[in-house]
Amino acid sequence: MPTYLTPGVYVEEVDTGSKPLAAVGTAVAAFVGFTAKAPSDDPGDPDGLKPRLVTNWSQFERLYGGFAPGVMLPHSVYGYFNNGGGLCYIVRIPRRADSAPSKSLGRTSTGAVAARSI
């Protein structure tokens, strides 16, 4: 027990035995979209549709092919890593065959809803 020689307010820390939890990251980014190519390193996933953990831009380029015309996902992932992002998951959406066009709703420049083929 310490000896206090002058009157006043004293703060004394007492070890209670339990320690506070260490701060850890709880947020993980996930990107979903089209890529230039599908990963081909997993024989159990020949189409490359399973979510993949990616930790840097070089790994993304090796698995998914990097930048491609008309594909925005690589730009998002590049910006994420370039701005200090850590790990993230990539979920690839496969492209449909051009031989089977489908109907979907889209907006025209006047705001009216019109069917268009993609």
Side-chain angles (χ1 to χ4, degrees), residues 29-80:
F31 295 91
V32 179
F34 298 110
T35 60
K37 69 175 191 171
S40 58
D41 60 344
D42 185 1
D45 184 24
D47 296 327
L49 300 179
K50 289 183 183 176
R52 299 283 183 106
L53 177 66
V54 175
T55 58
N56 58 46
W57 175 248
S58 300
Q59 182 184 13
F60 178 86
E61 281 186 312
R62 189 177 73 251
L63 290 173
Y64 295 101
F67 298 110
V71 179
M72 297 307 298
L73 179 69
H75 294 279
S76 300
V77 175
Y78 180 79
Y80 175 74

Side-chain angles (χ1 to χ4, degrees), residues 4 9-13:
Y4 301 109
V9 176
Y10 299 97
V11 177
E12 187 177 322
E13 291 186 25

Side-chain angles (χ1 to χ4, degrees), residues 20-28 87:
L21 296 175
V24 294
T26 57
V28 177
L87 54 94

